[in-house]
Amino acid sequence: MGTPSKSKSPAEKAKKYGLEVPAAEILACVSGWFVGMSFNIHGQSKSIGTHHEPPLRQLCDTVGNWGDRHDDVHRSLKSRGIFKSAERDEDVYIAGRRCDWIPKSNCMTIIEDIFDESKGLRPEWAAQDHTGPPVYRDGLELMEHRKGVMVAAQSLQKLKPDYHCELYPRVQSPERPDVHLWGTRAKPLAQVEVLTEHGNSDTWEQKFHAWRTDQPWPTIWLFENRPAMIKFWNHLVRNGFELDGGRFNGRTREEKKRWSPVRVNDRLDRSRDGPQDYESHDVCWTIPGMLQADVVEINEWVTERNII
């Protein structure tokens, strides 16, 4: 009987991608942030669901993973297309703030390979149908989307001590939301769907029409930003959804930014109360708006919009 082969370390696995130890150390910190770990930065506990992304040096410094070579390695990760770069005209903003270490899809593939045995990073919500450690993605999920999921979960379950958010719930339907909010006695209160500008518009439409007739609880649509929010509703109107007032005006990105979630939600309320064949309870907000709101503002929002 042969001797079992010894597992390779993340640093050894990283070599096949041309990455040295400092790169593996950086990616370990990025993995921790992605999965929802808390980092003590300047005496304050921060995570993807509670704060904006810190500078990479601050993130890595919390676990002693920053030395003389890491600045150069960080630049190399951007130049190689592993992290996004403004020099390639890529979107380097998350929740409305600039971030110079946003992982691209190839970065996530590298992380899932070199840290595939890092069981210690497994979050409590990870299920068998997620991709493996350490990031437990829902399909090809990237950080822009994960940000919204974690912000929603962290924000909504603060409303009451007995509220609970179930991430990526396993439901008997192909239209699975990103978050379920549960109240007392296991009563479902709302569901959350996070949409980014990179999303598939066919999937948007499929979920919207499935939920408008089948779900007895509200759907919170959480958008990456205002332009993504307007793009979503205008897409539905172009494809037959009767919204009070029709499409939202604005062709350019700046024009779309003028539409606040408050104005959009008011129009949805009018549509639901009007002659349109529209009975589902849809409410929207943006990831930056929810992230920056305190518990009082969130409580006022869910009450005003009849979510709970």
Side-chain angles (χ1 to χ4, degrees):
M1 185 173 180
T3 303
S5 59
K6 183 180 178 181
S7 298
K8 291 184 178 181
S9 69
E12 290 174 312
K13 292 179 183 179
K15 289 180 181 178
K16 69 180 178 181
Y17 298 101
L19 301 175
E20 298 184 44
V21 171
E25 291 173 337
I26 287 173
L27 294 181
C29 293
V30 173
S31 302
W33 183 264
F34 187 94
V35 85
M37 289 180 60
S38 294
F39 292 78
N40 191 322
I41 300 175
H42 298 318
Q44 187 176 18
S45 179
K46 297 185 178 183
S47 74
I48 189 173
T50 60
H51 290 79
H52 287 285
E53 281 58 41
L56 186 61
R57 175 191 290 268
Q58 287 186 3
L59 184 73
C60 294
D61 254 344
T62 62
V63 292
N65 276 2
W66 198 268
D68 295 337
R69 298 182 57 199
H70 288 75
D71 269 321
D72 289 337
V73 171
H74 178 204
R75 284 191 287 270
S76 175
L77 291 172
K78 287 193 292 183
S79 66
R80 287 183 54 181
I82 295 174
F83 290 159
K84 287 188 175 182
S85 173
E87 294 180 1
R88 291 188 296 270
D89 292 325
E90 294 170 333
D91 184 2
V92 292
Y93 287 82
I94 294 244
R97 293 279 184 89
R98 190 181 178 99
C99 175
D100 63 357
W101 50 273
I102 301 175
K104 297 180 67 174
S105 58
N106 60 333
C107 180
M108 302 306 297
T109 300
I110 293 170
I111 284 173
E112 288 174 328
D113 183 11
I114 69 176
F115 299 115
D116 64 341
E117 297 183 37
S118 301
K119 301 294 192 296
L121 287 174
R122 183 183 180 91
E124 61 180 17
W125 46 261
Q128 294 299 321
D129 53 353
H130 284 102
T131 58
V135 289
Y136 302 94
R137 289 195 287 169
D138 184 21
L140 299 178
E141 181 182 27
L142 296 176
M143 198 161 82
E144 295 90 334
H145 186 272
R146 175 63 63 85
K147 182 75 176 182
V149 173
M150 300 303 287
V151 167
Q154 293 282 352
S155 300
L156 293 174
Q157 61 192 12
K158 289 179 182 176
L159 294 172
K160 288 187 178 180
D162 51 2
Y163 281 6
H164 169 68
C165 280
E166 180 186 7
L167 279 67
Y168 313 103
R170 285 170 285 179
V171 296
Q172 299 301 314
S173 170
E175 290 79 33
R176 183 174 72 169
D178 290 311
V179 180
H180 264 160
L181 174 64
W182 296 87
T184 57
R185 300 178 182 177
K187 177 184 178 182
L189 299 176
Q191 63 184 16
V192 182
E193 181 69 10
V194 178
L195 297 182
T196 67
E197 291 192 89
H198 311 95
N200 185 326
S201 58
D202 291 337
T203 302
W204 301 345
E205 193 172 351
Q206 183 179 345
K207 289 187 174 183
F208 175 78
H209 288 299
W211 293 339
R212 70 184 294 189
T213 56
D214 295 341
Q215 300 295 351
W217 47 78
T219 298
I220 299 170
W221 301 91
L222 190 59
F223 296 96
E224 184 177 358
N225 49 44
R226 291 186 181 188
M229 175 179 65
I230 298 306
K231 179 181 178 181
F232 172 76
W233 294 110
N234 281 349
H235 172 79
L236 293 178
V237 171
R238 283 194 300 269
N239 287 276
F241 173 49
E242 294 186 19
L243 180 66
D244 182 78
R247 293 179 68 253
F248 293 94
N249 295 329
R251 294 190 176 186
T252 68
R253 189 177 185 84
E254 291 305 314
E255 289 171 338
K256 291 175 181 176
K257 286 182 180 179
R258 297 172 187 169
W259 291 100
S260 69
V262 172
R263 296 175 68 190
V264 175
N265 285 327
D266 285 345
R267 188 180 286 194
L268 292 173
D269 288 343
R270 293 197 303 272
S271 300
R272 191 164 51 248
D273 295 337
Q276 291 86 358
D277 182 21
Y278 171 53
E279 297 179 355
S280 65
H281 188 167
D282 297 292
V283 184
C284 59
W285 207 352
T286 64
I287 298 172
M290 184 173 280
L291 177 64
Q292 294 165 14
D294 59 29
V295 67
V296 174
E297 292 169 318
I298 294 172
N299 188 65
E300 290 176 348
W301 181 75
V302 297
T303 302
E304 179 184 359
R305 296 299 170 185
N306 297 314
I307 297 172
I308 60 174

